[in-house]
Amino acid sequence: MKNLKDILYKVSINQVFGNTNVEVQNIVFDSRKIEKNDVFVAQKGVTVDGHLYIDKAINLGASVIICEDFSIEKKEGVVYVEVADANIALAIMASNFYNNPSEKLSLIGVTGTNGKTTIASLLYQLFKKAGFKVGLLSTVKVLVDEIEFKATHTTPDSVAINSYLDKMLDAGVDYCFMEVSSHGIHQKRTEGLTFAGGIFTNLSHDHLDYHETFAEYRNVKKSFFDSLSKSAFALTNLDDKNGNFMLQNCLANKQTYAVKTLADYKAKILEKQFSGTLLKINDTEVWTKLIGEFNASNLLAIYAVAELLGLEKLEILTIISQLENVSGRFEYVISDDNVTAIVDYAHTPDALKNVLETINDIRTGNENLYTVVGCGGDRDKTKRPKMAHIASQLSNQAIFTSDNPRSENPQTILDEMEVGVSPENYKKTLSILDRKQAIKTACKFSESGDIILIAGKGHENYQEINGVRTHFDDLEEVKNCFNQLKNN
């Protein structure tokens, strides 16, 4: 039990009905999960207004209501607190409820369109290999040192974040690396957290179904850096035109990294193969198992963070040479017939272009490149023709297929993709609704030396159609195809 007064510390309160000097059990924002003596926070969400569920929460045992609308009917024995912003209030209350765990470890946030998962996950690997107890909050999974929890969002809700951080403290964690999404920032899930550092990766076309304009999307990302304290560091990618913009008005220690331009941390690609990349980071060469210019940028960010957090240069480089690919990020398998299949999470135009250009830079040109790609339903529609154009332009054959159609008609999604194909590339494209059949077709088309890219879903092990998720794993599917072709 916690005292409500303590939980409300630093929350912007307009007015109160009842006595706040009471003990409460938990903070809850989903009325279905309310138990006796819980605090119910009524948030005004994108599709649901929590104020409509206040009576239900009280009937289930809520003793405190946090809300933005004080015109609601008050019930005796229940404490009502009107706040300026319920999302911000929830985040601050969650931090207070768990005794502000982010202040007691080094929490590093990674934000940007692409690279968040790779950077956060590789930093976890690096610091783990350096002998520290480490936490990870990512799209793929949540790790409390070595204990794994399933991730449901790129950035979890405020209560979950602080609950995980509290578990990390109990486990003796020194550093936590966290993906910070634009949704998470906009919905104030990171309010009340103390970040020791922030990393900006890049900004490209994504989430415009949510943010409506690119300027809003960019400004939401920037607000994360505006909130960093003087004692934190802000590391930004100068290869991205928005890199310097993120540092404007930022109070933190400003640091930069780049592969293509001058920066505090600089990398150069010396050699690239499908087995790895030879890099020069600042003035020292290092071989890494990771592939592509985008990964050179990711590794440079990782190197910079490790150095900023006090690790020795030689130790950092030694561990970088040992780092393994993150699940679903340029993950590849080679068939007995010497066909290389690459599975990658690339689900934005920029990410798809990066992966295809990386493959094209490494291959000789004598082999064929088949790209299997789709676009998610109920998401930003404007990127569909762009992704189809990129896939057809940079591949010998592009096969358009379903990703996660969700509630949309998958054929409509494919039709909207095909609009982006240039007339000279029509003959290089094929549309197959069923993703399994699309992957099988790419495998059947391919011959020795050829390359198959299966893009969009990466680490995901499900496909969502009409609200129902069924098991589907791109890497698993392509392995099955290779085995079937071998046995035929």
Side-chain angles (χ1 to χ4, degrees):
M1 298 284 279
K2 299 273 184 175
N3 190 281
L4 180 61
K5 270 189 175 180
D6 295 334
I7 298 171
L8 291 172
Y9 177 62
K10 290 186 178 180
V11 173
S12 178
I13 297 172
N14 293 340
Q15 52 185 321
V16 175
F17 176 88
N19 183 6
T20 58
N21 188 25
V22 293
E23 299 294 309
V24 294
Q25 192 69 42
N26 286 304
I27 303 170
V28 182
F29 58 89
D30 183 341
S31 61
R32 295 167 297 184
K33 298 178 180 178
I34 287 287
E35 294 182 3
K36 190 174 181 182
N37 293 323
D38 283 349
V39 177
F40 176 62
V41 182
Q43 297 172 286
K44 291 183 177 179
V46 177
T47 56
V48 178
D49 184 352
H51 290 74
L52 300 173
Y53 299 92
I54 287 174
D55 286 343
K56 178 183 176 182
I58 292 170
N59 290 336
L60 289 171
S63 57
V64 178
I65 302 296
I66 310 294
C67 58
E68 296 176 17
D69 182 3
F70 226 50
S71 63
I72 56 175
E73 183 184 348
K74 316 290 190 305
K75 294 187 178 180
E76 287 298 326
V78 178
V79 181
Y80 296 82
V81 180
E82 184 188 34
V83 296
D85 187 313
N87 290 332
I88 294 176
L90 174 66
I92 295 172
M93 291 169 67
S95 285
N96 289 335
F97 186 85
Y98 287 100
N99 300 312
N100 300 290
S102 64
E103 295 177 357
K104 298 161 190 171
L105 47 70
S106 291
L107 177 63
I108 311 299
V110 190
T111 196
T113 306
N114 302 313
K116 295 187 297 295
T117 301
T118 298
I119 288 175
S121 300
L122 292 179
L123 279 168
Y124 172 89
Q125 274 191 53
L126 192 152
F127 277 76
K128 193 76 182 153
K129 287 178 181 291
F132 295 96
K133 291 197 171 184
V134 194
L136 175 68
L137 292 167
S138 83
T139 303
V140 179
K141 57 189 168 184
V142 174
L143 288 167
V144 177
D145 198 26
E146 295 178 352
I147 301 171
E148 183 175 333
F149 298 85
K150 186 179 179 182
T152 55
H153 295 80
T154 300
T155 305
D157 66 76
S158 307
V159 178
I161 290 170
N162 283 281
S163 173
Y164 286 132
L165 293 176
D166 186 53
K167 287 181 172 70
M168 289 177 195
L169 280 182
D170 288 343
V173 163
D174 304 291
Y175 300 96
C176 175
F177 301 102
M178 174 182 175
E179 288 187 52
V180 180
S181 68
S182 58
H183 289 69
I185 300 167
H186 188 256
Q187 294 168 14
K188 312 299 182 186
R189 295 181 218 160
T190 55
E191 290 284 330
L193 297 177
T194 300
F195 285 91
I199 307 160
F200 170 71
T201 63
N202 50 62
L203 210 59
S204 66
H205 193 117
D206 200 17
H207 301 310
L208 298 191
D209 55 319
Y210 180 87
H211 294 290
E212 296 185 358
T213 68
F214 186 83
E216 183 194 323
Y217 178 43
R218 179 195 61 190
N219 292 338
V220 166
K221 293 286 189 186
K222 183 181 181 299
S223 68
F224 170 70
F225 293 92
D226 292 345
S227 70
L228 294 175
S229 69
K230 288 182 180 179
S231 61
F233 68 79
L235 176 68
T236 191
N237 180 9
L238 288 189
D239 286 332
D240 188 282
K241 62 184 179 182
N242 299 285
N244 272 321
F245 178 78
M246 295 296 155
L247 298 183
Q248 292 175 13
N249 309 317
C250 177
L251 299 175
N253 170 24
K254 301 178 181 69
Q255 297 289 322
T256 60
Y257 70 100
V259 176
K260 299 175 182 176
T261 188
L262 291 175
D264 297 315
Y265 294 91
K266 188 85 175 72
K268 183 179 180 182
I269 298 174
L270 302 177
E271 186 181 330
K272 44 195 171 185
Q273 303 172 12
F274 279 125
S275 59
T277 309
L278 181 62
L279 291 177
K280 181 181 274 189
I281 294 182
N282 286 351
D283 58 353
T284 308
E285 292 183 10
V286 59
W287 176 264
T288 170
K289 298 174 188 175
L290 278 71
I291 305 159
E293 188 175 286
F294 59 95
N295 270 326
S297 183
N298 292 336
L299 287 167
L300 185 57
I302 291 157
Y303 174 89
V305 170
E307 193 168 275
L308 288 166
L309 291 175
L311 270 63
E312 292 296 323
K313 174 180 173 179
L314 183 59
E315 182 182 23
I316 300 169
L317 292 170
T318 301
I319 297 174
I320 280 177
S321 69
Q322 302 167 359
L323 295 176
E324 300 288 343
N325 251 326
V326 177
S327 174
R329 271 67 178 176
F330 217 96
E331 203 170 356
Y332 68 92
V333 60
I334 301 173
S335 75
D336 288 349
D337 295 331
N338 196 33
V339 175
T340 301
I342 299 164
V343 171
D344 195 272
Y345 189 52
H347 61 287
T348 66
D350 191 54
L352 183 62
K353 184 171 180 280
N354 285 340
V355 172
L356 284 168
E357 286 182 343
T358 294
I359 295 169
N360 283 320
D361 279 348
I362 297 171
R363 74 189 186 110
T364 64
N366 296 319
E367 62 284 273
N368 286 313
L369 169 57
Y370 299 94
T371 297
V372 179
V373 64
C375 290
D378 303 330
R379 297 293 185 269
D380 183 0
K381 295 184 178 184
T382 61
K383 68 183 180 183
R384 292 172 184 174
K386 294 181 181 182
M387 291 186 69
H389 171 75
I390 290 164
S392 59
Q393 186 73 25
L394 299 178
S395 312
N396 297 100
Q397 177 87 53
I399 303 174
F400 305 141
T401 189
S402 297
D403 188 285
N404 291 315
R406 300 184 177 90
S407 70
E408 281 196 71
N409 182 333
Q411 185 60 55
T412 301
I413 298 173
L414 294 194
D415 292 344
E416 291 176 357
M417 289 180 70
E418 289 169 2
V419 171
V421 179
S422 302
E424 67 270 19
N425 292 325
Y426 283 154
K427 291 182 179 178
K428 294 164 60 181
T429 66
L430 187 63
S431 290
I432 301 174
L433 271 180
D434 187 281
R435 193 174 181 89
K436 182 180 287 191
Q437 289 304 319
I439 294 170
K440 277 186 178 180
T441 302
C443 292
K444 286 178 181 177
F445 281 176
S446 59
E447 298 177 352
S448 180
D450 288 347
I451 302 159
I452 301 168
L453 171 65
I454 306 168
K457 289 174 60 59
H459 64 280
E460 292 178 352
N461 60 2
Y462 64 86
Q463 188 173 35
E464 185 176 336
I465 303 173
N466 291 325
V468 178
R469 289 188 176 188
T470 54
H471 178 78
F472 196 99
D473 185 306
D474 283 350
L475 195 63
E476 193 178 288
E477 287 300 328
V478 77
K479 285 179 179 177
N480 287 341
C481 290
F482 284 164
N483 286 332
Q484 287 170 12
L485 290 171
K486 181 180 71 173
N487 296 327
N488 285 344

